[in-house]
Amino acid sequence: MSVVDTSSVMLNDSLAARLFHGHNYKESLFRDTVAPDNINDEEFVTFSESDSFFSGLVDFFSSLPWVVYAIFGVLLLALMAYWAYRSGMMSFHFNRHTVENDAENVYEIDYDSELDEALRKGDHARLVRLIYLSTLRSLDESGRIAWRIYKTPSEYAAELADTDFLRMTNLFLRVRYGDFAADRSDYEAMCVWQARVLKGGEA
């Protein structure tokens, strides 16, 4: 049976204590576990900067006042409403007396009474406009065009692709937006073109 030399063990313990005196074993253990030798200090710096960047972004957005989010919400709703309006999902109907009988809304005009009044007054510009708008309504009701309040006369002309209707459209645009002084011959021409368009084309 061998006898352990306790004095030698005590000497070794004393020597180890002197050699590692003040050594932070917890820090050493953390460094050896988390940061092995094959990862350099630059990589730790990169990770630290990345965390700091995302943390900064979170802090920035969380610091924005509620008014900013409200403005973004209103803008989003406005864009959605505009898209719905342009796609025809929404239509806005105005009082026909707000804008000179609201001539562009073809379904809110009493054509018989309006035509009688325009004829009595000799208002040929108004007659040209009424003939054109009543033609739009008839074409929409027959399914030859798809009337929408936001569409332009040029879009209807391209949609129908009819020579007489193109002539009607050009005259209407000159009278409605070009301040063209229409006369009785223009009104009569609109009547002839309208009859041929609604009939299906030139005879």
Side-chain angles (χ1 to χ4, degrees), residues 127-190:
L127 287 167
V128 167
R129 292 167 63 184
L130 287 168
I131 293 297
Y132 183 77
L133 295 172
S134 65
T135 304
L136 286 181
R137 177 170 175 169
S138 298
L139 291 172
D140 181 61
E141 289 174 341
S142 63
R144 295 175 64 189
I145 65 168
W147 179 83
R148 297 288 184 274
I149 198 169
Y150 59 80
K151 290 172 73 172
T152 66
S154 298
E155 288 178 288
Y156 294 122
E159 189 175 346
L160 189 62
D162 181 277
T163 303
D164 286 318
F165 185 66
L166 179 59
R167 293 169 181 155
M168 294 181 70
T169 301
N170 290 334
L171 182 54
F172 170 79
L173 290 173
R174 291 173 64 195
V175 171
R176 180 67 177 85
Y177 302 104
D179 294 327
F180 175 72
D183 56 24
R184 186 170 184 83
S185 64
D186 295 313
Y187 160 64
E188 292 174 350
M190 288 291 282

Side-chain angles (χ1 to χ4, degrees), residues 26-47:
K26 291 183 179 181
E27 182 181 345
S28 177
L29 179 62
F30 175 79
R31 184 171 58 250
D32 293 341
T33 304
V34 179
D37 294 338
N38 62 339
I39 297 181
N40 56 38
D41 293 338
E42 292 181 358
E43 291 175 325
F44 279 103
V45 172
T46 303
F47 294 151

